[in-house]
Amino acid sequence: MAATTHASSMSFLLSHPQPRSATPGTRLPLRPAARRVRCATDAAAPTAQPAAAASTKHRRAADENIREEAARHPAPKQGLSAWYEPFPPAPNGDPNERYSLDEIVYRSSSGGLLDVRHDMEALARFSGAYWRDLFDSRVGRTTWPYGSGVWSKKEFVLPEIDPDHIVSLFEGNSNLFWAERLGRDHLGGMNDLWVKHCGISHTGSFKDLGMTVLVSQVNRLRRAPLSRPIAGVGCASTGDTSAALSAYCAAAGIPAIVFLPANRISLEQLIQPIANGATVLSLDTDFDGCMRLIREVTAELPIYLANSLNSLRLEGQKTAAIEILQQFDWEVPDWVIVPGGNLGNIYAFYKGFEMCRVLGLVDRVPRLVCAQAANANPLYSYYKSGWTEFQPQVAKPTFASAIQIGDPVSVDRAVVALKATNGIVEEATEEELMNAMSLADRTGMFACPHTGVALAALFKLRDQRVIGSNERVVVVSTAHGLKFSQSKIDYHDSKIEDMACKYANPPVSVKADFGAVMDVLKKRLKGKL
Ligand SMILES: Cc1ncc(COP(=O)(O)O)c(C=O)c1O
Ligand SMILES: N[C@@H](CCOP(=O)(O)O)C(=O)O
């Protein structure tokens, strides 16, 4: 293996451990080691660097930033690539239909969905152990762009993009929270319950993971040599996609346009794109109406579509699945529960897990559960019909307002994910989701109502004994609870019509007087003093 290394490239080497001998994976045919192409990792790392070597890293020059430092050490070509293909492949369609990621295309020739496909044979030239080591070696670093939980898996995301085009806010690497008390005390002694806090993130939701990829690709398209005349990037949103789009566009200096359903998103979500300087249209319709409009507008104007209909988004979102595996030292959980709305994320999780299985990083995939609010449950109804009849609906208001979606664009993707993982769809009423959220809060979280939907699904599946107490379960928390404080205020005020707010904990108004305070505390702590 040729090695072109020198002392000053040390910092770069730390991000590229030496490939293992190309141990053939079990599922995909691998090329013999002798025919392996040289890749960045081959060329950059003749010998694996021990962790201690980090302390010998030379500080970069004071007048150089991390982007420039990365540019000084360009990764050699790896021979990896990705492109768009129809999803699912149309039975009578053109088997050769594919599009470069540099094309602006959201639909296949037959009007169906597209998916980003990777050259799996090229990826499989390296063993699962190699990819695990490489991804692990990048966690927690600042080396551009690998400090991001998404771009630390760049080879599985957008292998060909120039790091200089990447727009990253070092998203991902989110907390996998051990829900010790919730599992032990409230779910029949579960001791392996985890909450993946995707919402503890730059704009407070998992959308950051996908948006860094989409906006990076737009940045590449707008810059020389491609110089595509993209005037801005637009989305319809229930409040989280719009926040992420606005932040990433603001960071890149690209105009953002967001279509929001008036009075249907939280105040905190509304102020995010406003603060980031986006063009905010508040429309007198629901999310599905906004979605129809943005599709029409992006077909007419040079505005790039940022919703998850655009499969680029899912390439970033799938890294949350890979991160979960990584956080468990590449052990596969038994179940992963994801709240579903427009239904891109459930597919993204499947894609991340399945890619790791196919490439030998793990040997199986978890069972997936998609959890919907009963007030916005088109997938649940479809599932209950035995997948025979999908009926779009007019979604009713729900505290889980970000998933108030009746005609999800990625329904076909969700079905593939659920069928392939022996998955389940569950639903939660308003009372169930608010109680589940509030109980989680009582055990140290500050969950959003959508996480409440996923937790309520877990409660049901535990009651039905579908999920066992010894199984390892991950509940995906999709947004930060602080974005939905009004719903919590209403709950703790017991102000919600027809809802027994079982865990309401209103503040106690007390006279500022020692005796009055003592009376309240004695009553509250009765038997414990
Ligand atoms: C907080 C939150 N949770 C869950 C979802 C559902 O994700 P998806 O639309 O990919 O199903 C969304 C958006 O739809 C969201 O904003
Ligand atoms: N919850 C989403 C709804 C749109 O979903 P997307 O993933 O297709 O952008 C939002 O926050 O807007």
Side-chain angles (χ1 to χ4, degrees):
M1 187 169 63
T4 52
T5 182
H6 48 90
S8 64
S9 63
M10 202 70 130
S11 62
F12 188 63
L13 299 185
L14 291 170
S15 306
H16 291 271
Q18 188 184 29
R20 291 288 151 91
S21 59
T23 314
T26 46
R27 290 180 184 80
L28 283 172
L30 298 183
R31 289 197 195 175
R35 291 181 54 212
R36 276 173 42 207
V37 291
R38 272 180 75 222
C39 71
T41 44
D42 283 311
T47 54
Q49 300 298 310
S55 60
T56 65
K57 177 181 167 174
H58 294 294
R59 193 166 172 176
R60 65 174 185 281
D63 59 353
E64 187 180 56
N65 64 38
I66 54 172
R67 202 186 270 280
E68 291 159 350
E69 183 185 42
R72 210 157 39 81
H73 305 294
K77 294 277 174 238
Q78 293 180 293
L80 304 177
S81 62
W83 58 88
Y84 296 119
E85 262 183 32
F87 176 92
N92 304 318
D94 173 4
N96 297 319
E97 183 178 347
R98 63 159 71 173
Y99 307 91
S100 155
L101 299 186
D102 290 339
E103 288 187 53
I104 299 176
V105 54
Y106 315 116
R107 287 282 187 189
S108 70
S109 60
S110 63
L113 294 165
L114 293 174
D115 199 14
V116 173
R117 295 296 296 270
H118 288 261
D119 181 345
M120 296 298 278
E121 247 188 69
L123 287 165
R125 287 184 198 121
F126 300 90
S127 69
Y130 165 72
W131 290 119
R132 290 196 303 258
D133 288 350
L134 179 65
F135 297 159
D136 285 347
S137 75
R138 292 170 173 168
V139 175
R141 298 288 168 84
T142 51
T143 313
W144 184 262
Y146 305 121
S148 152
V150 172
W151 296 107
S152 63
K153 296 153 188 85
K154 181 176 182 289
E155 293 80 356
F156 282 22
V157 176
L158 287 188
E160 291 166 290
I161 196 165
D162 183 332
D164 196 39
H165 290 151
I166 288 175
V167 181
S168 170
L169 306 175
F170 277 11
E171 50 290 309
N173 291 324
S174 59
N175 182 9
L176 184 61
F177 173 95
W178 179 35
E180 182 181 10
R181 268 193 71 211
L182 187 67
R184 186 190 59 215
D185 298 349
H186 303 288
L187 281 151
M190 286 185 88
N191 65 11
D192 217 355
L193 173 62
W194 302 78
V195 176
K196 177 66 174 163
H197 275 304
C198 294
I200 301 181
S201 148
H202 188 70
T203 69
S205 89
F206 72 96
K207 305 286 179 174
D208 294 346
L209 304 175
M211 212 50 84
T212 181
V213 176
L214 184 134
V215 174
S216 296
Q217 178 64 12
V218 171
N219 196 32
R220 167 182 161 83
L221 294 174
R222 280 167 54 101
R223 284 172 55 170
L226 296 173
S227 307
R228 303 292 293 271
I230 297 172
V233 190
C235 72
S237 184
T238 52
D240 291 323
T241 298
S242 43
L245 176 64
S246 306
Y248 282 83
C249 280
I254 298 172
I257 302 106
V258 305
F259 287 13
L260 302 176
N263 303 320
R264 286 176 166 91
I265 71 169
S266 75
L267 214 54
E268 294 87 344
Q269 290 173 309
L270 175 60
I271 198 62
Q272 289 183 287
I274 292 173
N276 286 139
T279 299
V280 178
L281 303 194
S282 183
L283 297 158
D284 183 19
T285 179
D286 59 8
F287 169 79
D288 299 295
C290 291
M291 191 71 224
R292 280 190 292 275
L293 276 168
I294 193 75
R295 284 170 73 167
E296 284 175 40
V297 169
T298 51
E300 208 52 45
L301 297 178
I303 295 176
Y304 193 84
L305 179 67
N307 283 102
S308 59
L309 175 66
N310 186 327
S311 50
L312 279 177
R313 281 261 314 278
L314 307 181
E315 292 308 293
Q317 288 173 211
K318 82 181 180 198
T319 62
I322 306 174
E323 207 169 277
I324 288 171
L325 297 174
Q326 197 169 20
Q327 285 168 310
F328 286 131
D329 268 333
W330 304 100
E331 280 179 13
V332 183
D334 298 306
W335 296 89
V336 176
I337 307 179
V338 187
N342 221 11
L343 300 179
N345 211 28
I346 185 82
Y347 178 69
F349 269 89
Y350 164 64
K351 200 171 179 189
F353 288 127
E354 177 65 0
M355 198 160 174
C356 288
R357 185 192 70 78
V358 170
L359 292 170
L361 284 76
V362 294
D363 59 3
R364 64 189 178 92
V365 297
R367 289 185 72 182
L368 295 182
V369 178
C370 187
Q372 291 211 296
N375 281 359
N377 66 355
L379 186 74
Y380 179 76
S381 306
Y382 190 18
Y383 171 74
K384 282 291 174 188
S385 77
W387 300 124
T388 55
E389 203 191 348
F390 176 71
Q391 286 285 358
Q393 55 181 234
V394 176
K396 295 197 276 293
T398 164
F399 281 105
S401 53
I403 53 175
Q404 189 189 332
I405 297 173
D407 192 7
V409 299
S410 288
V411 61
D412 294 342
R413 291 178 173 138
V415 175
V416 165
L418 291 160
K419 285 186 177 169
T421 58
N422 191 16
I424 291 175
V425 187
E426 245 316 336
E427 66 169 0
T429 64
E430 293 300 289
E431 186 161 330
E432 286 167 344
L433 74 91
M434 289 301 277
N435 280 337
M437 173 190 81
S438 306
L439 183 55
D441 288 357
R442 287 230 166 177
T443 64
M445 286 178 250
F446 197 75
C448 73
H450 320 83
T451 308
V453 173
L455 288 167
L458 171 62
F459 277 101
K460 288 185 168 176
L461 294 170
R462 280 289 297 124
D463 282 350
Q464 297 159 15
R465 301 277 180 266
V466 174
I467 294 183
S469 63
N470 290 326
E471 293 192 276
R472 175 175 285 179
V473 178
V474 179
V475 171
V476 176
S477 176
T478 45
H480 202 297
L482 281 171
K483 281 189 171 200
F484 300 91
S485 50
Q486 190 58 51
S487 62
K488 289 182 189 285
I489 292 168
D490 293 347
Y491 182 91
H492 290 289
D493 237 4
S494 295
K495 254 196 191 160
I496 306 167
E497 219 177 297
D498 297 329
M499 188 182 289
C501 301
K502 205 168 154 189
Y503 304 106
N505 180 32
V508 187
S509 291
V510 202
K511 220 170 123 201
D513 167 88
F514 179 75
V517 169
M518 288 298 279
D519 285 349
V520 172
L521 293 182
K522 280 182 187 156
K523 205 163 144 201
R524 199 68 181 248
L525 301 173
K526 205 169 166 191
K528 293 182 185 123
L529 291 172

mmCIF file of all heavy atoms in Angstrom, residues 363-378:
data_model
loop_
_atom_site.group_PDB
_atom_site.id
_atom_site.type_symbol
_atom_site.label_atom_id
_atom_site.label_comp_id
_atom_site.label_asym_id
_atom_site.label_seq_id
_atom_site.Cartn_x
_atom_site.Cartn_y
_atom_site.Cartn_z
ATOM 1 N N ASP A 363 -24.579 -7.194 12.812
ATOM 2 C CA ASP A 363 -25.078 -8.395 12.128
ATOM 3 C C ASP A 363 -26.607 -8.462 11.999
ATOM 4 O O ASP A 363 -27.138 -9.434 11.481
ATOM 5 C CB ASP A 363 -24.559 -9.655 12.838
ATOM 6 C CG ASP A 363 -24.978 -9.712 14.294
ATOM 7 O OD1 ASP A 363 -25.716 -8.797 14.743
ATOM 8 O OD2 ASP A 363 -24.575 -10.666 14.987
ATOM 9 N N ARG A 364 -27.302 -7.436 12.514
ATOM 10 C CA ARG A 364 -28.759 -7.443 12.364
ATOM 11 C C ARG A 364 -29.275 -6.018 12.506
ATOM 12 O O ARG A 364 -28.485 -5.105 12.787
ATOM 13 C CB ARG A 364 -29.423 -8.363 13.409
ATOM 14 C CG ARG A 364 -29.215 -7.909 14.826
ATOM 15 C CD ARG A 364 -29.683 -8.940 15.852
ATOM 16 N NE ARG A 364 -29.393 -8.441 17.186
ATOM 17 C CZ ARG A 364 -30.231 -7.737 17.939
ATOM 18 N NH1 ARG A 364 -31.447 -7.458 17.507
ATOM 19 N NH2 ARG A 364 -29.872 -7.316 19.132
ATOM 20 N N VAL A 365 -30.578 -5.854 12.325
ATOM 21 C CA VAL A 365 -31.170 -4.521 12.538
ATOM 22 C C VAL A 365 -32.216 -4.634 13.641
ATOM 23 O O VAL A 365 -32.782 -5.708 13.857
ATOM 24 C CB VAL A 365 -31.819 -3.949 11.248
ATOM 25 C CG1 VAL A 365 -30.794 -3.747 10.162
ATOM 26 C CG2 VAL A 365 -32.965 -4.821 10.763
ATOM 27 N N PRO A 366 -32.482 -3.543 14.358
ATOM 28 C CA PRO A 366 -33.517 -3.607 15.402
ATOM 29 C C PRO A 366 -34.914 -3.610 14.798
ATOM 30 O O PRO A 366 -35.094 -3.251 13.636
ATOM 31 C CB PRO A 366 -33.299 -2.305 16.188
ATOM 32 C CG PRO A 366 -32.543 -1.403 15.301
ATOM 33 C CD PRO A 366 -31.837 -2.225 14.271
ATOM 34 N N ARG A 367 -35.895 -3.994 15.598
ATOM 35 C CA ARG A 367 -37.288 -3.832 15.179
ATOM 36 C C ARG A 367 -37.652 -2.362 15.367
ATOM 37 O O ARG A 367 -37.309 -1.755 16.376
ATOM 38 C CB ARG A 367 -38.217 -4.735 16.000
ATOM 39 C CG ARG A 367 -38.055 -6.195 15.650
ATOM 40 C CD ARG A 367 -39.066 -7.068 16.383
ATOM 41 N NE ARG A 367 -40.419 -6.906 15.878
ATOM 42 C CZ ARG A 367 -41.482 -7.537 16.389
ATOM 43 N NH1 ARG A 367 -41.332 -8.369 17.424
ATOM 44 N NH2 ARG A 367 -42.684 -7.343 15.882
ATOM 45 N N LEU A 368 -38.358 -1.820 14.396
ATOM 46 C CA LEU A 368 -38.734 -0.406 14.463
ATOM 47 C C LEU A 368 -40.200 -0.262 14.826
ATOM 48 O O LEU A 368 -41.040 -1.070 14.410
ATOM 49 C CB LEU A 368 -38.497 0.284 13.111
ATOM 50 C CG LEU A 368 -37.042 0.394 12.635
ATOM 51 C CD1 LEU A 368 -36.975 1.151 11.313
ATOM 52 C CD2 LEU A 368 -36.165 1.083 13.675
ATOM 53 N N VAL A 369 -40.481 0.750 15.629
ATOM 54 C CA VAL A 369 -41.864 1.122 15.930
ATOM 55 C C VAL A 369 -42.042 2.560 15.476
ATOM 56 O O VAL A 369 -41.241 3.426 15.823
ATOM 57 C CB VAL A 369 -42.159 1.042 17.448
ATOM 58 C CG1 VAL A 369 -43.609 1.483 17.725
ATOM 59 C CG2 VAL A 369 -41.905 -0.364 17.983
ATOM 60 N N CYS A 370 -43.090 2.807 14.685
ATOM 61 C CA CYS A 370 -43.415 4.182 14.335
ATOM 62 C C CYS A 370 -44.623 4.575 15.181
ATOM 63 O O CYS A 370 -45.646 3.874 15.193
ATOM 64 C CB CYS A 370 -43.734 4.293 12.849
ATOM 65 S SG CYS A 370 -43.931 6.022 12.348
ATOM 66 N N ALA A 371 -44.488 5.684 15.902
ATOM 67 C CA ALA A 371 -45.555 6.105 16.825
ATOM 68 C C ALA A 371 -46.212 7.366 16.274
ATOM 69 O O ALA A 371 -45.528 8.340 15.932
ATOM 70 C CB ALA A 371 -44.944 6.377 18.197
ATOM 71 N N GLN A 372 -47.533 7.337 16.194
ATOM 72 C CA GLN A 372 -48.268 8.504 15.677
ATOM 73 C C GLN A 372 -49.260 9.006 16.716
ATOM 74 O O GLN A 372 -49.781 8.236 17.533
ATOM 75 C CB GLN A 372 -49.036 8.116 14.408
ATOM 76 C CG GLN A 372 -48.122 7.824 13.224
ATOM 77 C CD GLN A 372 -48.777 8.175 11.905
ATOM 78 O OE1 GLN A 372 -49.772 7.574 11.533
ATOM 79 N NE2 GLN A 372 -48.211 9.154 11.202
ATOM 80 N N ALA A 373 -49.564 10.300 16.630
ATOM 81 C CA ALA A 373 -50.647 10.857 17.451
ATOM 82 C C ALA A 373 -51.963 10.332 16.870
ATOM 83 O O ALA A 373 -52.126 10.285 15.645
ATOM 84 C CB ALA A 373 -50.611 12.377 17.380
ATOM 85 N N ALA A 374 -52.895 9.940 17.747
ATOM 86 C CA ALA A 374 -54.178 9.419 17.248
ATOM 87 C C ALA A 374 -54.908 10.474 16.413
ATOM 88 O O ALA A 374 -55.708 10.135 15.540
ATOM 89 C CB ALA A 374 -55.036 8.963 18.428
ATOM 90 N N ASN A 375 -54.615 11.744 16.666
ATOM 91 C CA ASN A 375 -55.260 12.816 15.890
ATOM 92 C C ASN A 375 -54.645 13.017 14.511
ATOM 93 O O ASN A 375 -55.148 13.835 13.732
ATOM 94 C CB ASN A 375 -55.186 14.145 16.667
ATOM 95 C CG ASN A 375 -56.236 14.198 17.758
ATOM 96 O OD1 ASN A 375 -57.032 13.269 17.922
ATOM 97 N ND2 ASN A 375 -56.252 15.285 18.514
ATOM 98 N N ALA A 376 -53.562 12.348 14.244
ATOM 99 C CA ALA A 376 -52.894 12.485 12.940
ATOM 100 C C ALA A 376 -52.256 11.130 12.632
ATOM 101 O O ALA A 376 -51.042 10.980 12.686
ATOM 102 C CB ALA A 376 -51.841 13.592 13.006
ATOM 103 N N ASN A 377 -53.110 10.161 12.311
ATOM 104 C CA ASN A 377 -52.616 8.777 12.291
ATOM 105 C C ASN A 377 -52.807 8.042 10.957
ATOM 106 O O ASN A 377 -53.196 6.864 10.950
ATOM 107 C CB ASN A 377 -53.301 7.987 13.403
ATOM 108 C CG ASN A 377 -54.797 7.836 13.164
ATOM 109 O OD1 ASN A 377 -55.334 8.403 12.209
ATOM 110 N ND2 ASN A 377 -55.456 7.055 14.009
ATOM 111 N N PRO A 378 -52.501 8.671 9.815
ATOM 112 C CA PRO A 378 -52.748 7.961 8.556
ATOM 113 C C PRO A 378 -51.928 6.671 8.425
ATOM 114 O O PRO A 378 -52.423 5.689 7.865
ATOM 115 C CB PRO A 378 -52.332 8.990 7.484
ATOM 116 C CG PRO A 378 -51.431 9.945 8.178
ATOM 117 C CD PRO A 378 -51.916 10.008 9.583
#
